[in-house]
Amino acid sequence: DGGPGKDGIPALDAPDFIEIDQVDFLDDDDLIIGFKVGNEVRGYPHPILDWHEIINDELGNTRVAITYCPLTGTGIGWNRDLSTGTTTFGVSGLLYNTNLIPYDRGTDSNWSQMLLEAVQGKMAGTAIETYQVLETSWGTWKELYSSSKIVSTNTGWNRNYDRYPYGDYRSNNNSLFFPVAINDDRLPSKERVLGVISSTKAAKAYRFSHFPATGIGVLSDTFRENNLILIGSQEHNFIMAFQQPAGLTFEAVQGQLPISMRDNEGNLWNIFGEAVSGPRVGQRLEATRSFIGYWVAWGAFYEGLDIYE
């Protein structure tokens, strides 16, 4: 029991959006989760998600729930179209390994955010379909997508979005409000890492230190059934992972965000893995089941997970 009770933390079901030049509540180092469908791009700021944890939204025919757990630092895009019909998600008030347990309002089933599946109720054992999202800093997001829409503080709820509600939790490696089953001390507990999850429910972690301090870096790796291409940057505060197509090799493109990679065929790819020029223009790299979160959570949910060396 996390304390507030079911819907005690209110999800947002009809978010209000504003233009970037109207945003006055974010600092450049605040984090934001971005989602792109076609030419439509939207941003969901952490300072709002810290208070609401779930934002149910719709972009064209794509129905998404941006689920975010402040205690594990995990932001994931969920498909709201289930086998039982389209639903919205709410905050159950329950936690497992200090991680958010959403519930779907169609069947009242509980879902584990980091396990990406239902764990109680009619939908138990059902995997959730995820959408690839980008987590980065507000400073980088403004450079990437200056015409995007951003969730505003006009939420209908009386919350202080200028205040982080959990004190020094993000920076204090000794601070956990709730216990975890496994405490993996190989990395600092609050270090943000990108985890990639395989079809066998194993995971591998990639650190920001694997990427350049300035500019953008690209690395390729093989993990279980996945041939991966990852792009990342400490300076721009992002890591993204995609399936690497056979026959393609990639290199980083500097200074042209959101363009981030060039391949051996001459295609240019943006940060969401979309080919924006070249013979594959209009194609999109296959997404991975991956997201950024605190190391303490990855270690607890995916015991002994690999760390990229």
Side-chain angles (χ1 to χ4, degrees), residues 54-223:
I54 297 174
I55 299 178
N56 295 292
D57 199 10
E58 187 167 344
L59 288 75
N61 294 321
T62 301
R63 290 164 283 273
V64 64
I66 302 298
T67 65
Y68 177 69
C69 179
L71 300 183
T72 54
T74 43
I76 314 172
W78 284 20
N79 186 350
R80 296 197 288 109
D81 292 332
L82 306 179
S83 61
T84 53
T86 299
T87 191
T88 56
F89 287 91
V91 181
S92 71
L94 303 174
L95 300 168
Y96 177 67
N97 275 335
T98 202
N99 177 242
L100 168 69
I101 299 287
Y103 76 95
D104 74 81
R105 291 172 175 147
T107 71
D108 201 35
S109 299
N110 287 330
W111 300 68
S112 168
Q113 192 212 25
M114 285 195 68
L115 290 178
L116 304 178
E117 65 179 35
V119 292
Q120 292 175 316
K122 179 179 179 179
M123 301 297 289
T126 303
I128 194 72
E129 181 184 353
T130 61
Y131 294 119
Q132 199 135 20
V133 298
L134 168 69
E135 182 175 286
T136 187
S137 66
W138 175 237
T140 293
W141 184 260
K142 290 184 294 183
E143 181 181 353
L144 285 168
Y145 294 106
S146 60
S147 60
S148 59
K149 300 292 193 297
I150 308 299
V151 176
S152 81
T153 57
N154 181 27
T155 62
W157 297 91
N158 183 20
R159 300 291 188 272
N160 183 357
Y161 299 110
D162 291 324
R163 183 178 71 84
Y164 174 66
Y166 298 101
D168 68 348
Y169 183 85
R170 289 179 295 195
S171 58
N172 186 344
N173 282 305
N174 297 315
S175 173
L176 281 182
F177 295 161
F178 299 93
V180 294
I182 300 166
N183 188 9
D184 189 328
D185 61 2
R186 286 178 291 166
L187 297 178
S189 64
K190 301 298 172 54
E191 181 175 340
R192 293 170 61 238
V193 302
L194 180 87
V196 177
I197 302 170
S198 74
S199 61
T200 57
K201 300 183 181 180
K204 188 169 186 177
Y206 299 84
R207 307 176 72 183
F208 278 86
S209 58
H210 296 137
F211 297 92
T214 58
I216 296 171
V218 171
L219 62 87
S220 59
D221 191 29
T222 300
F223 170 55

Side-chain angles (χ1 to χ4, degrees), residues 10-51:
L12 299 183
D13 295 329
D16 179 64
F17 289 89
I18 55 178
E19 306 289 341
I20 275 188
D21 60 6
Q22 297 176 286
V23 175
D24 60 4
F25 64 97
L26 295 176
D27 296 325
D28 279 354
D29 60 354
D30 283 331
L31 294 176
I32 186 168
I33 294 169
F35 186 50
K36 185 176 187 294
V37 176
N39 293 322
E40 190 166 4
V41 189
R42 295 182 181 178
Y44 308 84
H46 275 214
I48 291 176
L49 287 162
D50 284 333
W51 292 94

